Amino acid sequence: MQDQRKRTASDRAKVELITEEPKEASLTTKLSKYYRNSFPYNSYFRWLSHQEVPEQGEDVATLWTHREFAFASQDNAGTEIFSRYRSFPTIAAFRESVIKRTPIRIEVGPEYNLEPRLRKKSVAFMENLTAVQREFVVDLDFDDYDDVRPCECKGATFCYSCWRLMIVAVQVLTDILKRQYGCSHILWVYSGRRGLHCWVSDPHMLDLPNTVRAALIRSLSLCARRRGTMFTGGMLPDLEVIWRLHLMKTFMQFCQDERNDGDIRFLQKPSSLQVLAEILPGDFGDRFLQELPSALGSLQIFKNYSNFVKRTFSNQKTQIAYIAEAVFRFTFPRPDLNVSKDLNHLLKSPFVIHPKTGNICTPVPPERLEDFEPYVTLDTKLDSEKLYPVNLDDHDYEEKLTVYTEFFTRYTEKLLEIEHVGIKQRQEEHHERKKEFFEQLELKRQQIAQSSASFVNNHETRTLVVDEIEKKLNTLNMQRRRYIKVKK
């Protein structure tokens, strides 16, 4: 199995060729057929509206009717035309528009207080248009890992080792969202090229204001480059579980893989050594590099780093802090903050086509994540036990797409289970979940503040996180008490 997962430099060159080469021949014809026959409209409606497709004359949830969609299309000259603030009264109207316009990309925005499609009826419409709610979203991209990749891949190129960074990111973020923030409706979608998108649809996450979203994504982004460690005050229990359960395992696998694959250099790379040096305070980083023997493998480099830390710092907690920081710095998720913190931010929809690869953006079943191999090369021998990207140029793409559409259908059916609860009970559960969320955010703030108490002044990143959460919790203090009162 391990041998099947190895990828040589020439393989990665082929991946780069595939991902960079646009497939635009007869694209409109292919898209028209795809949107007519293969796009999962009913499940798509359930996902975004939290409602079964209504019969004619029945009310449609504002989560759908007031939802913004953006279409990117191409004119005859190949120029992209981007159109925002589209909305649709029904899923039938959406389907009709998609088939007519055959967009090369569909992006999803928030629910607004007004229907975006009516924006041209009044001059003051856009001034009063306010985002109300949307899913909490997370964007992971290989580009953000370039300085810590275990191989020589850069930019659009990737291999199995790169993909393992995505696997551990999904495991960690899913773990945190479930255990710490009570989320259960988490959808991971392959972007069609070199990343993953996460859509969290739990009701208590939909109407989070921008400031809370910003604080939350910052608490999930621990790996900003800085001097020192965030663990000098001790490691929080929830992070220690993640460190031992997910991160350390992946880190050591990268070190071990180097022995079996000449393309894996991990800590040997200059960029990786620089990351290690930047963790140590003062001039200790430079001293570590000067004392480090040449021609060492990654496992030996990490042992030398650990021994250097133990010689330099006498306190055992400090030693653990700097060693753990190295593991976190190389393996902890690196989400794009800007995508998550703004309600108005558009994100590419599932089941659209990536224009540069022709791949369909498919939801990935979390239990099959390790079986999903997006780094297909021209010479890849397909394994029936694995999942692969579905490309619009595949002659049997409709058949290959079935496993993803069936998973998406099951996911949306489970999502709708919460809507089958009585209205009063559902409201009470929503208030209780929201109360728990704010309490968890307050606890996180206190823990971060305690952990950050011994930080030196140049740790702006951690200070910013603490200040942001503190500011938002003060603003929402009255709202929090109201939720608690409702439950009582």
Side-chain angles (χ1 to χ4, degrees):
M1 182 64 66
Q2 182 64 35
D3 291 341
Q4 293 178 357
R5 291 178 167 178
K6 295 176 186 176
R7 293 293 182 268
T8 65
S10 61
D11 285 333
R12 284 192 286 272
K14 293 170 186 174
V15 173
E16 183 174 23
L17 177 63
I18 293 174
T19 56
E20 293 295 343
E21 182 178 320
K23 300 179 178 179
E24 298 179 349
S26 305
L27 182 59
T28 301
T29 302
K30 296 175 189 175
L31 286 174
S32 179
K33 178 184 176 182
Y34 170 73
Y35 285 133
R36 285 180 183 277
N37 303 326
S38 303
F39 193 93
Y41 290 101
N42 286 351
S43 298
Y44 191 78
F45 176 85
R46 287 197 296 265
W47 172 56
L48 291 178
S49 68
H50 294 213
Q51 176 187 22
E52 287 286 1
V53 177
E55 300 292 337
Q56 187 172 0
E58 292 183 348
D59 291 338
V60 181
T62 56
L63 255 176
W64 176 267
T65 59
H66 291 46
R67 170 88 65 168
E68 178 191 0
F69 295 90
F71 288 178
S73 305
Q74 282 185 345
D75 61 17
N76 295 332
T79 303
E80 182 175 297
I81 302 172
F82 193 71
S83 176
R84 286 197 63 174
Y85 300 108
R86 293 181 175 275
S87 64
F88 304 92
T90 63
I91 185 61
F94 174 80
R95 182 179 187 275
E96 180 182 354
S97 181
V98 167
I99 293 174
K100 178 181 178 181
R101 298 181 180 277
T102 58
I104 59 174
R105 190 172 72 256
I106 300 173
E107 299 194 3
V108 180
E111 173 197 347
Y112 286 92
N113 59 328
L114 303 169
E115 293 184 63
R117 67 191 177 95
L118 305 178
R119 67 193 182 283
K120 295 182 180 179
K121 290 191 175 183
S122 169
V123 176
F125 187 94
M126 292 301 292
E127 296 178 0
N128 297 321
L129 192 65
T130 304
V132 176
Q133 59 179 345
R134 74 161 301 165
E135 298 75 13
F136 180 72
V137 295
V138 180
D139 181 18
L140 298 173
D141 197 299
F142 282 125
D143 287 356
D144 297 317
Y145 289 84
D146 277 353
D147 62 323
V148 295
R149 293 207 214 187
C151 50
E152 299 299 329
C153 298
K154 292 287 185 183
T157 62
F158 57 91
C159 63
Y160 174 70
S161 294
C162 295
W163 185 244
R164 286 226 301 261
L165 287 170
M166 291 291 163
I167 291 175
V168 73
V170 170
Q171 293 170 340
V172 168
L173 292 177
T174 301
D175 193 320
I176 293 175
L177 288 168
K178 284 184 175 181
R179 289 194 301 105
Q180 297 181 32
Y181 298 112
C183 301
S184 57
H185 300 297
I186 304 169
L187 184 69
W188 286 97
V189 181
Y190 171 52
S191 70
R193 192 183 188 193
R194 59 186 181 193
L196 288 164
H197 299 155
C198 177
W199 299 76
V200 185
S201 299
D202 294 82
H204 67 286
M205 301 292 282
L206 293 180
D207 56 357
L208 295 179
N210 286 343
T211 45
V212 172
R213 290 171 187 265
L216 178 54
I217 193 60
R218 288 184 186 281
S219 75
L220 299 175
S221 307
L222 304 176
C223 296
R225 300 189 71 162
R226 60 187 179 274
R227 287 280 179 184
T229 172
M230 61 186 168
F231 302 126
T232 51
M235 188 182 297
L236 307 181
D238 54 332
L239 291 181
E240 184 172 359
V241 171
I242 289 170
W243 174 43
R244 297 187 184 279
L245 186 63
H246 301 299
L247 304 185
M248 196 64 185
K249 176 183 175 181
T250 300
F251 187 90
M252 297 310 294
Q253 281 179 340
F254 287 150
C255 290
Q256 294 291 342
D257 284 353
E258 184 179 276
R259 299 178 177 181
N260 304 317
D261 189 339
D263 289 334
I264 305 298
R265 298 179 61 231
F266 195 30
L267 300 182
Q268 293 179 327
K269 300 190 302 179
S271 61
S272 299
L273 292 174
Q274 187 60 37
V275 170
L276 285 176
E278 288 179 352
I279 296 172
L280 299 170
D283 62 351
F284 288 124
D286 293 334
R287 286 173 52 187
F288 163 69
L289 294 179
Q290 292 170 2
E291 295 179 14
L292 185 68
S294 59
L296 291 180
S298 292
L299 195 57
Q300 289 299 320
I301 291 174
F302 185 58
K303 288 181 178 179
N304 272 262
Y305 172 81
S306 301
N307 291 334
F308 180 87
V309 167
K310 292 174 181 178
R311 293 195 309 271
T312 304
F313 305 102
S314 58
N315 184 281
Q316 187 176 15
K317 284 189 176 181
T318 304
Q319 295 172 1
I320 294 175
Y322 282 102
I323 294 172
E325 179 72 32
V327 177
F328 271 81
R329 199 75 66 94
F330 281 90
T331 57
F332 199 81
R334 297 185 171 199
D336 185 331
L337 301 184
N338 292 326
V339 173
S340 302
K341 68 183 184 180
D342 192 348
L343 267 168
N344 292 44
H345 199 290
L346 299 173
L347 189 61
K348 185 166 54 180
S349 168
F351 292 104
V352 299
I353 315 300
H354 195 293
K356 292 190 175 181
T357 64
N359 290 333
I360 300 173
C361 302
T362 50
V364 182
E367 68 276 8
R368 299 291 307 276
L369 187 66
E370 295 196 40
D371 296 328
F372 184 68
E373 297 195 2
Y375 45 88
V376 178
T377 71
L378 298 175
D379 299 329
T380 298
K381 294 181 180 180
L382 301 185
D383 184 342
S384 60
E385 299 297 319
K386 294 189 175 298
L387 297 177
Y388 300 95
V390 181
N391 195 281
L392 200 60
D393 282 341
D394 296 339
H395 69 279
D396 56 348
Y397 76 81
E398 292 176 317
E399 178 182 349
K400 293 178 179 178
L401 191 62
T402 302
V403 65
Y404 300 105
T405 54
E406 289 179 349
F407 161 71
F408 189 55
T409 298
R410 293 193 301 272
Y411 173 83
T412 58
E413 288 173 348
K414 184 178 179 181
L415 176 64
L416 257 61
E417 288 178 4
I418 63 173
E419 301 301 332
H420 295 160
V421 183
I423 294 176
K424 183 177 180 180
Q425 180 181 350
R426 189 166 68 248
Q427 288 176 339
E428 290 179 352
E429 290 178 351
H430 176 69
H431 289 316
E432 176 65 19
R433 184 65 63 86
K434 200 133 190 175
K435 169 202 162 188
E436 293 174 357
F437 175 83
F438 285 126
E439 288 177 344
Q440 182 64 51
L441 204 57
E442 167 67 10
L443 178 62
K444 176 69 70 176
R445 184 202 66 77
Q446 293 174 356
Q447 291 175 329
I448 291 175
Q450 181 181 1
S451 180
S452 303
S454 58
F455 273 28
V456 292
N457 292 332
N458 64 342
H459 285 184
E460 298 91 345
T461 302
R462 300 304 301 170
T463 302
L464 183 60
V465 176
V466 175
D467 290 348
E468 190 71 47
I469 295 178
E470 181 79 60
K471 178 181 177 182
K472 184 54 198 171
L473 286 169
N474 289 337
T475 304
L476 295 176
N477 196 31
M478 293 298 296
Q479 188 176 6
R480 246 180 94 200
R481 287 201 292 268
R482 178 166 57 84
Y483 288 137
I484 297 173
K485 184 178 180 181
V486 168
K487 185 59 181 176
K488 290 181 179 179

